[in-house]
Amino acid sequence: MKKIWVYIILLFWTFFFGTTSMFSILLSKKKSNFKYYGISWGKTLGRLFGIKLRVIGKENFDNNKQYIFAPNHSSVIDFQVLLIAVNQYLVFVGKKELGRIPIFRTIIKVAGFVLVDRRNNKDAVKSLEKLRADMKEFPRSVAIFPEGTRSRDGKLQDFKKGAAILGIDTGMPIIPVAIVGSYSWWNRGLFTKNPNIITIIFGDPIDTKNSSYEDRNKITMSIKDQITKLRNG
């Protein structure tokens, strides 16, 4: 019952903030306008879902620079709370299936997001190359969930190399991020006396400037190691 209600609320407010941000971007020619609407989207959902957000480690990055944020993924609210915590023009790399709904496909494209086919490595690489080229004109930070999909049991899954590859290609530092509490919130009952606390913990930046494609496995393992330590406190 709770998950149905969450999906209905999520769909409505995603459509509302998505369309308003799309028109704002189209009229102003500024993709960075998504920052305001994205954070408002996250805060609105947070209030409706009774979520209290705690942020740790913001001193680990400069809010005036762009990064690749690599968080674990356990619920449908992960990206929205990450938008609030990062407080930048932030887009995410998502699965291609999200583009099946025409209006959402348009919103995602206008805002500067990118969708990849996880089953087609060549297509995924091409999508990331397009994102890299667009980022030169419209700088932004990017969120990539290294697990590729939501964890069904709250445990970390195998990590894919997309964040490492984009970091190597762009030279952008990678910030491992632990999202703690979203899995419990997602699987908790609709009415509960306990507060829904989600904690976002930013790790130390991983420098990619002098890295080569051969370093992708090492960087991916560094991301996973940091997230594991951050989650275990």
Side-chain angles (χ1 to χ4, degrees):
M1 180 65 183
K2 171 189 172 177
K3 292 183 179 181
I4 295 174
W5 177 76
V6 167
Y7 276 122
I8 292 172
I9 297 297
L10 183 63
L11 185 66
F12 173 81
W13 288 106
T14 299
F15 178 79
F16 174 81
F17 284 109
T19 52
T20 51
S21 68
M22 179 180 70
F23 287 121
S24 173
I25 293 167
L26 290 173
L27 290 172
S28 67
K29 307 297 184 184
K30 294 181 179 179
K31 289 187 177 183
S32 59
N33 282 4
F34 176 76
K35 173 186 173 181
Y36 169 78
Y37 294 96
I39 293 173
S40 298
W41 176 43
K43 288 182 175 179
T44 298
L45 293 175
R47 285 193 296 268
L48 291 171
F49 297 151
I51 292 170
K52 293 184 178 180
L53 184 63
R54 293 194 310 172
V55 180
I56 299 172
K58 279 214 68 172
E59 67 277 6
N60 290 336
F61 66 93
D62 184 343
N63 225 33
N64 295 313
K65 296 181 180 179
Q66 285 75 47
Y67 298 86
I68 297 169
F69 293 91
N72 59 296
H73 193 18
S74 299
S75 81
V76 296
I77 201 67
D78 290 339
F79 180 65
Q80 293 87 342
V81 293
L82 186 65
L83 281 169
I84 301 170
V86 171
N87 192 31
Q88 289 187 5
Y89 171 28
L90 175 70
V91 301
F92 76 91
V93 176
K95 57 185 180 181
K96 196 171 185 177
E97 289 81 359
L98 293 174
R100 288 177 178 173
I101 305 174
I103 183 63
F104 287 132
R105 182 170 64 244
T106 303
I107 291 170
I108 287 170
K109 182 179 179 180
V110 169
F113 290 54
V114 64
L115 301 179
V116 299
D117 186 348
R118 295 174 297 177
R119 293 166 294 185
N120 187 326
N121 287 335
K122 288 185 178 180
D123 182 73
V125 170
K126 286 182 180 179
S127 297
L128 292 178
E129 287 176 351
K130 289 180 181 178
L131 174 63
R132 181 182 61 179
D134 193 51
M135 285 167 61
K136 291 181 179 179
E137 184 176 0
F138 301 101
R140 76 207 74 164
S141 288
V142 181
I144 300 181
F145 295 106
E147 295 165 283
T149 186
R150 292 200 305 268
S151 171
R152 294 185 178 182
D153 58 8
K155 298 178 181 178
L156 291 182
Q157 307 172 88
D158 292 336
F159 275 34
K160 301 182 185 302
K161 304 177 184 68
I165 292 171
L166 184 61
I168 292 167
D169 286 346
T170 61
M172 292 169 65
I174 301 172
I175 306 284
V177 185
I179 301 179
V180 181
S182 66
Y183 177 79
S184 298
W185 166 80
W186 182 233
N187 290 280
R188 187 174 292 168
L190 184 58
F191 301 104
T192 177
K193 294 181 180 179
N194 297 322
N196 297 308
I197 298 175
I198 294 179
T199 304
I200 293 185
I201 311 169
F202 295 102
D204 296 322
I206 297 173
D207 188 11
T208 62
K209 280 187 178 179
N210 298 316
S211 299
S212 65
Y213 189 70
E214 286 70 29
D215 296 317
R216 65 193 186 282
N217 289 328
K218 182 177 68 175
I219 293 173
T220 301
M221 285 306 301
S222 295
I223 296 169
K224 188 172 186 178
D225 288 345
Q226 276 208 51
I227 292 176
T228 300
K229 290 176 182 177
L230 293 171
R231 278 163 51 99
N232 293 336

